[in-house]
Amino acid sequence: MKTSFFKTILFPLLTSLCVLTLFVAGCASLDASNQESLLAAAGFRIRTPQTPQQQALYAATPAYKVQRGTIDGKIFYAYKDEKKGVAWVGGEAEYQKYQQLAVQKNISENYYQAAQMNDDMAWRWRGAWGPRMMVW
């Protein structure tokens, strides 16, 4: 009986929850406004390319991705927002802060998703065996 319950109900349910979690986490990471809020909180500054050299560098940079570069031995990081036509620029300290904020945000989103799934699952199980089994 246990094997049947596991194969028919529990295993598909757990598999579906894992797939849903990966899908939601993937969608959350694609949002550019979330990325920009993290960059702003970390201390990155908005720059608009002015000179032809800056515009050429801006055009060659991949969009919506933090890139590392060096000028005269100094390390900097840039994020190109193609839609707005600007770049977010910061140094090593800003990048370290950005990474910390991104990890904290990811952890909090995972906790939120887990809480939502637990709540949803509790409501599904609540009346599954009829009114006699509802004790909470």
Side-chain angles (χ1 to χ4, degrees):
M1 186 71 176
K2 286 184 180 181
T3 306
S4 176
F5 174 75
F6 179 77
K7 286 182 180 178
T8 58
I9 296 173
L10 194 56
F11 182 74
L13 180 66
L14 291 175
T15 304
S16 299
L17 287 175
C18 289
V19 169
L20 177 66
T21 302
L22 291 173
F23 177 76
V24 171
C27 290
S29 66
L30 296 176
D31 191 18
S33 64
N34 287 337
Q35 184 88 351
E36 291 174 3
S37 66
L38 289 175
L39 292 167
F44 277 70
R45 295 165 305 283
I46 296 178
R47 299 287 185 243
T48 304
Q50 302 292 329
T51 67
Q53 182 184 12
Q54 290 173 345
Q55 290 172 350
L57 181 60
Y58 181 82
T61 304
Y64 308 110
K65 197 172 182 183
V66 177
Q67 298 290 312
R68 180 180 180 195
T70 56
I71 294 180
D72 298 329
K74 286 185 157 185
I75 297 173
F76 72 95
Y77 295 88
Y79 174 85
K80 175 183 172 180
D81 185 344
E82 200 166 47
K83 186 176 180 182
K84 295 179 183 175
V86 297
W88 292 78
V89 181
E92 190 68 37
E94 289 83 10
Y95 183 70
Q96 295 299 323
K97 179 70 174 173
Y98 163 75
Q99 285 186 319
Q100 290 173 353
L101 292 171
V103 167
Q104 290 172 355
K105 184 173 190 252
N106 190 19
I107 290 171
S108 68
E109 285 177 355
N110 287 340
Y111 278 131
Y112 177 76
Q113 290 172 5
Q116 289 294 101
M117 286 183 207
N118 286 340
D119 190 42
D120 183 48
M121 188 56 63
W123 279 107
R124 287 186 196 176
W125 280 84
R126 182 176 178 147
W129 287 284
R132 293 177 303 198
M133 296 302 290
M134 294 197 312
V135 292
W136 65 90

Coordinates of all heavy atoms in Angstrom, one line a residue, residues 40-126:
A40 N 21.3 49.7 -7.7 CA 21.2 51.0 -7.1 C 21.5 50.9 -5.6 O 22.2 51.7 -5.0 CB 19.8 51.5 -7.3
A41 N 20.9 49.8 -5.0 CA 21.1 49.7 -3.5 C 22.6 49.4 -3.2 O 23.1 49.7 -2.1 CB 20.3 48.5 -3.0
A42 N 23.3 48.8 -4.1 CA 24.7 48.5 -3.9 C 25.6 49.7 -4.2 O 26.8 49.6 -3.8 CB 25.2 47.3 -4.8
G43 N 25.1 50.7 -4.8 CA 25.9 51.9 -5.0 C 26.4 52.1 -6.4 O 27.2 53.0 -6.7
F44 N 25.9 51.3 -7.4 CA 26.2 51.6 -8.8 C 25.6 52.9 -9.2 O 24.6 53.3 -8.7 CB 25.7 50.4 -9.6 CG 26.6 49.2 -9.7 CD1 26.7 48.4 -8.6 CD2 27.2 48.8 -10.8 CE1 27.5 47.3 -8.6 CE2 28.0 47.7 -10.9 CZ 28.2 46.9 -9.7
R45 N 26.3 53.6 -10.1 CA 25.8 54.8 -10.7 C 25.4 54.7 -12.1 O 26.0 53.9 -12.9 CB 27.0 55.9 -10.5 CG 27.4 56.2 -9.1 CD 28.7 56.9 -9.0 NE 29.8 56.3 -9.6 CZ 30.5 55.2 -9.1 NH1 30.1 54.6 -8.0 NH2 31.6 54.8 -9.8
I46 N 24.4 55.5 -12.5 CA 23.9 55.4 -13.9 C 24.8 56.4 -14.7 O 25.0 57.5 -14.3 CB 22.4 55.9 -13.9 CG1 21.5 54.9 -13.2 CG2 22.0 56.0 -15.4 CD1 20.1 55.3 -13.2
R47 N 25.2 55.9 -15.9 CA 26.0 56.7 -16.8 C 25.4 56.5 -18.2 O 25.0 55.4 -18.6 CB 27.4 56.2 -16.8 CG 28.1 56.4 -15.5 CD 28.4 57.8 -15.2 NE 29.2 58.0 -14.0 CZ 28.8 58.6 -12.9 NH1 27.6 59.1 -12.9 NH2 29.6 58.7 -11.9
T48 N 25.3 57.6 -18.9 CA 24.9 57.6 -20.3 C 26.1 57.8 -21.2 O 26.9 58.7 -21.0 CB 23.9 58.7 -20.6 OG1 22.8 58.6 -19.7 CG2 23.3 58.7 -22.0
P49 N 26.3 56.9 -22.2 CA 27.5 57.1 -23.1 C 27.4 58.4 -23.8 O 26.4 58.7 -24.5 CB 27.4 55.9 -24.0 CG 26.1 55.2 -23.8 CD 25.5 55.8 -22.6
Q50 N 28.5 59.2 -23.7 CA 28.5 60.5 -24.3 C 29.5 60.6 -25.5 O 29.1 61.0 -26.6 CB 29.0 61.6 -23.3 CG 28.1 61.6 -22.1 CD 26.7 62.2 -22.3 OE1 26.5 63.0 -23.3 NE2 25.7 61.7 -21.6
T51 N 30.7 60.1 -25.4 CA 31.7 60.2 -26.4 C 31.5 59.1 -27.4 O 30.9 58.0 -27.1 CB 33.1 60.1 -25.8 OG1 33.3 58.8 -25.3 CG2 33.3 61.2 -24.8
P52 N 32.1 59.2 -28.6 CA 32.0 58.1 -29.6 C 32.7 56.8 -29.0 O 32.2 55.7 -29.3 CB 32.8 58.6 -30.8 CG 32.7 60.1 -30.7 CD 32.6 60.4 -29.2
Q53 N 33.7 56.9 -28.3 CA 34.4 55.8 -27.7 C 33.5 55.1 -26.7 O 33.3 53.8 -26.7 CB 35.7 56.2 -27.0 CG 36.5 55.0 -26.4 CD 37.7 55.4 -25.7 OE1 37.9 56.6 -25.4 NE2 38.6 54.5 -25.4
Q54 N 32.8 55.8 -25.9 CA 31.9 55.3 -24.9 C 30.7 54.6 -25.6 O 30.2 53.5 -25.2 CB 31.3 56.4 -23.9 CG 32.4 56.9 -23.0 CD 31.8 58.1 -22.2 OE1 30.8 58.7 -22.5 NE2 32.6 58.4 -21.1
Q55 N 30.2 55.3 -26.7 CA 29.1 54.7 -27.4 C 29.5 53.4 -28.1 O 28.7 52.4 -28.2 CB 28.5 55.7 -28.4 CG 27.9 56.9 -27.7 CD 27.5 58.0 -28.7 OE1 28.0 58.0 -29.8 NE2 26.8 59.0 -28.2
A56 N 30.7 53.3 -28.6 CA 31.1 52.1 -29.3 C 31.3 50.9 -28.2 O 30.9 49.8 -28.5 CB 32.5 52.3 -30.0
L57 N 31.8 51.3 -27.1 CA 32.0 50.3 -26.0 C 30.6 49.8 -25.5 O 30.3 48.6 -25.3 CB 32.8 50.9 -24.8 CG 33.0 50.0 -23.6 CD1 33.8 48.7 -24.0 CD2 33.7 50.7 -22.5
Y58 N 29.7 50.8 -25.4 CA 28.3 50.5 -25.0 C 27.6 49.5 -26.0 O 27.0 48.6 -25.6 CB 27.5 51.8 -24.8 CG 26.1 51.5 -24.4 CD1 25.8 51.4 -23.0 CD2 25.0 51.5 -25.3 CE1 24.5 51.2 -22.6 CE2 23.7 51.3 -24.9 CZ 23.4 51.2 -23.5 OH 22.1 51.0 -23.1
A59 N 27.8 49.8 -27.3 CA 27.2 49.0 -28.3 C 27.8 47.5 -28.3 O 27.0 46.6 -28.6 CB 27.4 49.6 -29.7
A60 N 29.0 47.4 -27.9 CA 29.7 46.1 -28.0 C 29.4 45.2 -26.7 O 29.6 44.0 -26.7 CB 31.2 46.2 -28.1
T61 N 28.8 45.9 -25.7 CA 28.6 45.2 -24.4 C 27.3 44.4 -24.4 O 26.3 44.9 -24.9 CB 28.6 46.2 -23.3 OG1 29.8 46.9 -23.3 CG2 28.4 45.5 -21.9
P62 N 27.2 43.2 -23.9 CA 26.0 42.4 -23.9 C 25.0 43.1 -22.9 O 25.4 43.6 -21.9 CB 26.3 41.0 -23.3 CG 27.8 41.0 -23.3 CD 28.4 42.4 -23.5
A63 N 23.7 43.1 -23.3 CA 22.7 43.8 -22.5 C 22.3 42.9 -21.3 O 22.3 41.7 -21.3 CB 21.5 44.1 -23.3
Y64 N 21.9 43.6 -20.2 CA 21.3 43.0 -19.0 C 22.1 41.9 -18.4 O 21.7 40.9 -17.9 CB 19.9 42.4 -19.4 CG 19.0 43.4 -20.0 CD1 18.7 43.3 -21.4 CD2 18.5 44.6 -19.4 CE1 17.9 44.2 -22.0 CE2 17.8 45.5 -20.0 CZ 17.4 45.4 -21.3 OH 16.7 46.3 -21.9
K65 N 23.4 42.2 -18.3 CA 24.4 41.3 -17.7 C 25.5 42.1 -17.1 O 26.0 43.0 -17.7 CB 24.9 40.4 -18.8 CG 25.6 39.2 -18.4 CD 25.9 38.3 -19.6 CE 26.6 37.0 -19.1 NZ 26.9 36.2 -20.2
V66 N 25.9 41.8 -15.9 CA 27.0 42.5 -15.3 C 28.3 42.0 -15.9 O 28.6 40.8 -15.9 CB 27.0 42.3 -13.7 CG1 28.2 43.0 -13.1 CG2 25.7 42.8 -13.1
Q67 N 29.1 43.0 -16.4 CA 30.4 42.7 -17.0 C 31.5 43.3 -16.2 O 31.4 44.4 -15.7 CB 30.4 43.3 -18.4 CG 29.3 42.7 -19.4 CD 29.6 41.3 -19.7 OE1 30.7 41.0 -20.1 NE2 28.6 40.4 -19.6
R68 N 32.6 42.6 -16.2 CA 33.8 43.1 -15.5 C 34.8 43.7 -16.6 O 35.0 43.2 -17.7 CB 34.5 42.0 -14.8 CG 35.7 42.4 -14.1 CD 36.3 41.2 -13.4 NE 37.5 41.7 -12.6 CZ 38.4 40.9 -12.2 NH1 38.3 39.6 -12.3 NH2 39.5 41.4 -11.6
G69 N 35.4 44.8 -16.2 CA 36.4 45.4 -17.1 C 37.5 46.1 -16.3 O 37.4 46.2 -15.0
T70 N 38.6 46.4 -16.9 CA 39.7 47.2 -16.3 C 40.1 48.4 -17.1 O 40.2 48.3 -18.4 CB 40.9 46.3 -16.1 OG1 41.3 45.7 -17.3 CG2 40.6 45.1 -15.1
I71 N 40.4 49.5 -16.5 CA 41.0 50.6 -17.1 C 42.1 51.1 -16.2 O 41.9 51.4 -15.0 CB 39.9 51.7 -17.3 CG1 38.8 51.3 -18.2 CG2 40.5 53.0 -17.7 CD1 37.7 52.3 -18.4
D72 N 43.3 51.2 -16.8 CA 44.5 51.6 -16.1 C 44.7 50.8 -14.8 O 45.1 51.4 -13.8 CB 44.4 53.1 -15.8 CG 44.4 54.0 -17.0 OD1 44.9 53.6 -18.1 OD2 43.7 55.1 -17.0
G73 N 44.5 49.6 -14.9 CA 44.7 48.7 -13.7 C 43.6 48.7 -12.7 O 43.6 48.0 -11.7
K74 N 42.5 49.5 -12.9 CA 41.4 49.6 -12.0 C 40.3 48.7 -12.5 O 39.9 48.8 -13.7 CB 40.9 51.0 -11.8 CG 41.8 51.9 -11.0 CD 41.1 53.2 -10.8 CE 41.6 54.0 -9.6 NZ 40.8 55.2 -9.3
I75 N 39.7 47.9 -11.6 CA 38.6 47.0 -12.0 C 37.3 47.8 -11.8 O 37.1 48.5 -10.8 CB 38.7 45.8 -11.1 CG1 39.9 45.0 -11.3 CG2 37.4 44.9 -11.4 CD1 40.1 43.8 -10.4
F76 N 36.4 47.6 -12.8 CA 35.1 48.2 -12.7 C 34.1 47.2 -13.2 O 34.4 46.2 -13.9 CB 35.0 49.5 -13.4 CG 35.0 49.3 -14.9 CD1 33.8 49.3 -15.6 CD2 36.2 49.3 -15.6 CE1 33.8 49.1 -17.0 CE2 36.2 49.1 -17.0 CZ 35.0 49.0 -17.7
Y77 N 32.8 47.4 -12.9 CA 31.7 46.5 -13.3 C 30.7 47.4 -13.9 O 30.4 48.5 -13.5 CB 31.2 45.7 -12.1 CG 32.2 44.8 -11.5 CD1 33.0 45.2 -10.6 CD2 32.3 43.4 -12.0 CE1 34.0 44.3 -10.0 CE2 33.2 42.6 -11.5 CZ 34.1 43.0 -10.5 OH 35.0 42.1 -10.0
A78 N 30.1 46.9 -15.0 CA 29.1 47.6 -15.7 C 27.9 46.7 -16.1 O 28.1 45.5 -16.4 CB 29.6 48.3 -17.0
Y79 N 26.7 47.3 -16.1 CA 25.5 46.6 -16.4 C 24.8 47.5 -17.5 O 24.4 48.6 -17.2 CB 24.6 46.4 -15.2 CG 23.2 45.8 -15.5 CD1 23.0 44.5 -15.6 CD2 22.1 46.7 -15.6 CE1 21.8 44.0 -15.8 CE2 20.9 46.2 -15.8 CZ 20.7 44.8 -15.9 OH 19.4 44.3 -16.2
K80 N 24.5 46.9 -18.7 CA 23.9 47.7 -19.8 C 22.4 47.5 -19.8 O 21.9 46.4 -19.9 CB 24.5 47.2 -21.1 CG 23.9 47.9 -22.3 CD 24.5 47.2 -23.6 CE 23.8 47.7 -24.8 NZ 24.4 47.1 -26.0
D81 N 21.7 48.6 -19.6 CA 20.2 48.6 -19.8 C 19.9 49.1 -21.2 O 19.9 50.3 -21.4 CB 19.6 49.5 -18.7 CG 18.1 49.4 -18.8 OD1 17.5 48.9 -19.8 OD2 17.4 49.8 -17.8
E82 N 19.7 48.2 -22.1 CA 19.6 48.6 -23.5 C 18.3 49.4 -23.8 O 18.3 50.3 -24.6 CB 19.6 47.3 -24.4 CG 19.9 47.5 -25.8 CD 20.2 46.2 -26.5 OE1 19.5 45.3 -26.3 OE2 21.2 46.2 -27.2
K83 N 17.2 49.0 -23.0 CA 16.0 49.7 -23.2 C 16.0 51.2 -22.9 O 15.5 52.0 -23.6 CB 14.9 49.0 -22.4 CG 13.5 49.5 -22.7 CD 12.5 48.7 -21.9 CE 11.1 49.2 -22.1 NZ 10.1 48.4 -21.3
K84 N 16.7 51.5 -21.8 CA 16.8 52.9 -21.3 C 18.0 53.6 -21.9 O 18.2 54.8 -21.8 CB 16.9 52.9 -19.8 CG 15.7 52.4 -19.1 CD 15.8 52.4 -17.6 CE 14.6 51.9 -16.9 NZ 14.7 51.8 -15.5
G85 N 19.0 52.9 -22.5 CA 20.1 53.5 -23.1 C 21.2 54.0 -22.1 O 21.9 54.9 -22.3
V86 N 21.2 53.3 -20.9 CA 22.2 53.7 -19.9 C 23.0 52.5 -19.4 O 22.7 51.3 -19.7 CB 21.5 54.3 -18.7 CG1 20.8 55.6 -19.1 CG2 20.5 53.3 -18.0
A87 N 24.1 52.8 -18.7 CA 24.9 51.7 -18.1 C 25.0 52.0 -16.6 O 25.1 53.2 -16.2 CB 26.2 51.7 -18.7
W88 N 24.9 51.0 -15.8 CA 25.1 51.1 -14.3 C 26.6 50.7 -14.1 O 27.0 49.7 -14.5 CB 24.2 50.1 -13.6 CG 22.8 50.5 -13.6 CD1 21.9 50.2 -14.7 CD2 22.0 51.1 -12.7 NE1 20.7 50.7 -14.4 CE2 20.7 51.2 -13.1 CE3 22.3 51.6 -11.4 CZ2 19.7 51.8 -12.4 CZ3 21.3 52.2 -10.6 CH2 20.0 52.3 -11.1
V89 N 27.4 51.6 -13.5 CA 28.8 51.4 -13.3 C 29.2 51.5 -11.8 O 28.7 52.3 -11.1 CB 29.6 52.5 -14.1 CG1 31.1 52.3 -14.0 CG2 29.2 52.5 -15.6
G90 N 30.0 50.5 -11.4 CA 30.5 50.5 -10.0 C 31.9 49.9 -9.9 O 32.3 49.2 -10.9
G91 N 32.5 50.0 -8.8 CA 33.8 49.4 -8.6 C 33.7 48.1 -7.8 O 32.6 47.5 -7.7
E92 N 34.8 47.7 -7.3 CA 34.9 46.4 -6.6 C 34.0 46.3 -5.4 O 33.3 45.4 -5.1 CB 36.4 46.1 -6.3 CG 36.6 44.7 -5.8 CD 36.4 43.6 -6.8 OE1 36.8 43.8 -8.0 OE2 35.9 42.5 -6.5
A93 N 34.0 47.4 -4.6 CA 33.2 47.4 -3.4 C 31.7 47.4 -3.7 O 31.0 46.7 -3.0 CB 33.5 48.7 -2.6
E94 N 31.3 48.1 -4.7 CA 29.9 48.1 -5.1 C 29.5 46.7 -5.6 O 28.4 46.2 -5.3 CB 29.6 49.1 -6.2 CG 29.7 50.6 -5.7 CD 31.1 51.1 -5.7 OE1 32.0 50.5 -6.2 OE2 31.2 52.2 -5.1
Y95 N 30.4 46.1 -6.3 CA 30.1 44.7 -6.9 C 30.0 43.7 -5.7 O 29.1 42.9 -5.8 CB 31.2 44.3 -7.9 CG 30.8 42.9 -8.5 CD1 29.8 42.8 -9.4 CD2 31.6 41.8 -8.2 CE1 29.5 41.6 -10.0 CE2 31.3 40.6 -8.7 CZ 30.3 40.5 -9.6 OH 30.0 39.2 -10.2
Q96 N 30.9 43.8 -4.8 CA 30.8 42.9 -3.6 C 29.4 43.1 -2.9 O 28.8 42.1 -2.5 CB 31.9 43.1 -2.6 CG 33.3 42.8 -3.2 CD 33.4 41.3 -3.6 OE1 32.9 40.4 -2.9 NE2 34.1 41.0 -4.7
K97 N 29.0 44.3 -2.7 CA 27.8 44.6 -2.0 C 26.6 44.1 -2.9 O 25.6 43.5 -2.4 CB 27.6 46.2 -1.8 CG 26.4 46.6 -1.2 CD 26.3 46.2 0.3 CE 25.0 46.8 0.9 NZ 24.8 46.3 2.2
Y98 N 26.7 44.3 -4.2 CA 25.7 43.8 -5.1 C 25.5 42.3 -5.0 O 24.4 41.7 -4.9 CB 26.0 44.1 -6.5 CG 25.3 43.4 -7.6 CD1 24.0 43.6 -7.9 CD2 25.9 42.3 -8.3 CE1 23.3 42.9 -8.9 CE2 25.3 41.6 -9.3 CZ 24.0 41.9 -9.5 OH 23.3 41.2 -10.5
Q99 N 26.6 41.5 -4.9 CA 26.6 40.1 -4.8 C 25.9 39.7 -3.4 O 25.1 38.8 -3.4 CB 28.0 39.5 -4.8 CG 28.5 39.4 -6.3 CD 29.8 38.7 -6.3 OE1 30.7 38.8 -5.4 NE2 30.0 37.9 -7.3
Q100 N 26.2 40.4 -2.4 CA 25.6 40.1 -1.1 C 24.1 40.3 -1.1 O 23.3 39.5 -0.6 CB 26.2 41.0 0.0 CG 27.7 40.6 0.4 CD 28.3 41.6 1.3 OE1 27.7 42.6 1.6 NE2 29.5 41.3 1.8
L101 N 23.7 41.4 -1.7 CA 22.3 41.7 -1.8 C 21.5 40.7 -2.7 O 20.4 40.3 -2.4 CB 22.1 43.1 -2.4 CG 22.5 44.3 -1.5 CD1 22.4 45.6 -2.2 CD2 21.6 44.3 -0.2
A102 N 22.2 40.3 -3.8 CA 21.6 39.3 -4.6 C 21.4 37.9 -3.9 O 20.3 37.3 -4.1 CB 22.4 39.1 -5.9
V103 N 22.3 37.5 -3.1 CA 22.2 36.3 -2.4 C 21.1 36.4 -1.3 O 20.3 35.5 -1.2 CB 23.6 35.9 -1.7 CG1 23.4 34.8 -0.7 CG2 24.6 35.5 -2.8
Q104 N 21.1 37.5 -0.6 CA 20.0 37.8 0.4 C 18.6 37.8 -0.3 O 17.7 37.2 0.3 CB 20.2 39.1 1.1 CG 21.4 39.1 2.0 CD 21.7 40.4 2.6 OE1 21.1 41.4 2.2 NE2 22.7 40.5 3.5
K105 N 18.5 38.4 -1.4 CA 17.2 38.4 -2.1 C 16.8 37.0 -2.6 O 15.6 36.7 -2.4 CB 17.3 39.4 -3.3 CG 16.0 39.5 -4.0 CD 16.1 40.6 -5.1 CE 14.7 40.9 -5.6 NZ 14.5 40.4 -6.9
N106 N 17.7 36.3 -3.1 CA 17.5 34.9 -3.5 C 17.0 34.1 -2.3 O 16.0 33.3 -2.5 CB 18.7 34.3 -4.2 CG 18.4 33.0 -4.8 OD1 17.2 32.7 -5.1 ND2 19.4 32.2 -5.1
I107 N 17.7 34.2 -1.2 CA 17.3 33.4 0.0 C 15.9 33.8 0.5 O 15.0 33.0 0.7 CB 18.3 33.6 1.1 CG1 19.6 32.9 0.8 CG2 17.7 33.1 2.5 CD1 20.7 33.2 1.7
S108 N 15.6 35.1 0.5 CA 14.3 35.5 0.9 C 13.2 35.1 0.0 O 12.1 34.7 0.4 CB 14.2 37.1 1.1 OG 14.3 37.7 -0.1
E109 N 13.4 35.1 -1.3 CA 12.5 34.6 -2.3 C 12.2 33.2 -2.1 O 11.1 32.7 -2.2 CB 12.9 35.0 -3.7 CG 12.8 36.4 -4.1 CD 13.3 36.7 -5.5 OE1 13.9 35.8 -6.1 OE2 13.1 37.9 -5.9
N110 N 13.3 32.4 -1.9 CA 13.1 30.9 -1.7 C 12.3 30.7 -0.4 O 11.4 29.8 -0.4 CB 14.4 30.2 -1.6 CG 15.1 30.2 -2.9 OD1 14.5 30.3 -4.0 ND2 16.4 30.0 -2.9
Y111 N 12.5 31.4 0.7 CA 11.7 31.2 1.9 C 10.2 31.6 1.6 O 9.3 30.9 2.1 CB 12.2 32.1 3.0 CG 13.4 31.5 3.8 CD1 14.5 32.2 4.0 CD2 13.3 30.2 4.2 CE1 15.6 31.7 4.7 CE2 14.4 29.6 4.9 CZ 15.5 30.3 5.1 OH 16.6 29.8 5.8
Y112 N 10.0 32.6 0.9 CA 8.6 33.1 0.5 C 7.9 32.0 -0.3 O 6.8 31.6 0.0 CB 8.7 34.4 -0.2 CG 7.3 34.9 -0.6 CD1 6.4 35.4 0.3 CD2 6.9 34.7 -1.9 CE1 5.1 35.8 -0.1 CE2 5.6 35.1 -2.3 CZ 4.7 35.7 -1.4 OH 3.5 36.1 -1.8
Q113 N 8.6 31.5 -1.3 CA 8.0 30.4 -2.1 C 7.7 29.2 -1.3 O 6.7 28.5 -1.5 CB 8.9 30.1 -3.3 CG 9.0 31.2 -4.3 CD 10.1 30.9 -5.4 OE1 10.7 29.9 -5.4 NE2 10.3 31.9 -6.2
A114 N 8.6 28.8 -0.5 CA 8.4 27.6 0.4 C 7.2 27.8 1.3 O 6.4 26.9 1.5 CB 9.6 27.3 1.2
A115 N 7.1 29.0 1.9 CA 5.9 29.3 2.7 C 4.6 29.2 1.9 O 3.6 28.7 2.4 CB 6.1 30.7 3.4
Q116 N 4.6 29.8 0.7 CA 3.4 29.7 -0.1 C 3.1 28.3 -0.5 O 1.9 27.9 -0.4 CB 3.7 30.5 -1.4 CG 3.7 32.0 -1.2 CD 2.4 32.6 -0.8 OE1 2.2 32.8 0.4 NE2 1.5 32.7 -1.7
M117 N 4.1 27.5 -0.8 CA 3.8 26.1 -1.1 C 3.2 25.3 0.1 O 2.3 24.5 0.0 CB 5.0 25.4 -1.6 CG 5.4 25.8 -3.0 SD 6.9 24.9 -3.5 CE 7.6 26.0 -4.7
N118 N 3.8 25.6 1.3 CA 3.3 24.9 2.5 C 1.9 25.3 2.8 O 1.1 24.5 3.2 CB 4.2 25.3 3.7 CG 5.6 24.6 3.6 OD1 5.7 23.6 2.9 ND2 6.5 25.1 4.3
D119 N 1.6 26.6 2.6 CA 0.2 27.1 2.9 C -0.8 26.4 1.9 O -1.8 26.0 2.3 CB 0.2 28.6 2.8 CG -1.1 29.2 3.3 OD1 -1.6 28.7 4.3 OD2 -1.6 30.1 2.6
D120 N -0.4 26.4 0.6 CA -1.2 25.8 -0.4 C -1.5 24.3 -0.1 O -2.6 23.8 -0.2 CB -0.6 26.0 -1.8 CG -1.5 25.5 -2.9 OD1 -2.7 25.8 -2.9 OD2 -1.0 24.8 -3.8
M121 N -0.4 23.6 0.3 CA -0.5 22.2 0.5 C -1.4 21.9 1.7 O -2.2 21.0 1.8 CB 0.9 21.6 0.7 CG 0.9 20.1 0.8 SD 0.2 19.2 -0.6 CE 1.2 19.7 -1.9
A122 N -1.3 22.8 2.8 CA -2.1 22.6 4.0 C -3.6 22.7 3.6 O -4.4 22.0 4.1 CB -1.7 23.6 5.0
W123 N -3.9 23.7 2.8 CA -5.3 23.8 2.4 C -5.8 22.7 1.5 O -7.0 22.3 1.6 CB -5.5 25.2 1.6 CG -5.7 26.3 2.5 CD1 -4.7 27.3 2.8 CD2 -6.8 26.6 3.4 NE1 -5.2 28.1 3.7 CE2 -6.4 27.7 4.1 CE3 -8.0 26.0 3.7 CZ2 -7.3 28.3 5.1 CZ3 -8.8 26.5 4.6 CH2 -8.5 27.7 5.3
R124 N -5.0 22.1 0.7 CA -5.4 20.9 -0.1 C -5.6 19.7 0.8 O -6.5 18.9 0.6 CB -4.3 20.6 -1.1 CG -4.2 21.5 -2.2 CD -3.2 21.1 -3.3 NE -2.9 22.1 -4.2 CZ -2.0 22.0 -5.1 NH1 -1.3 20.9 -5.2 NH2 -1.7 23.0 -5.9
W125 N -4.8 19.5 1.8 CA -4.9 18.3 2.7 C -6.0 18.5 3.7 O -6.5 17.5 4.3 CB -3.6 18.1 3.4 CG -2.6 17.4 2.5 CD1 -1.8 18.0 1.6 CD2 -2.4 16.0 2.4 NE1 -1.0 17.0 1.0 CE2 -1.4 15.8 1.4 CE3 -2.9 14.9 3.0 CZ2 -0.9 14.5 1.1 CZ3 -2.4 13.6 2.7 CH2 -1.5 13.5 1.7
R126 N -6.4 19.7 4.0 CA -7.3 20.0 5.1 C -8.6 19.1 5.0 O -9.0 18.5 5.9 CB -7.6 21.4 5.2 CG -8.5 21.8 6.3 CD -8.8 23.2 6.5 NE -9.7 23.4 7.6 CZ -9.7 24.4 8.4 NH1 -8.7 25.4 8.2 NH2 -10.5 24.6 9.3

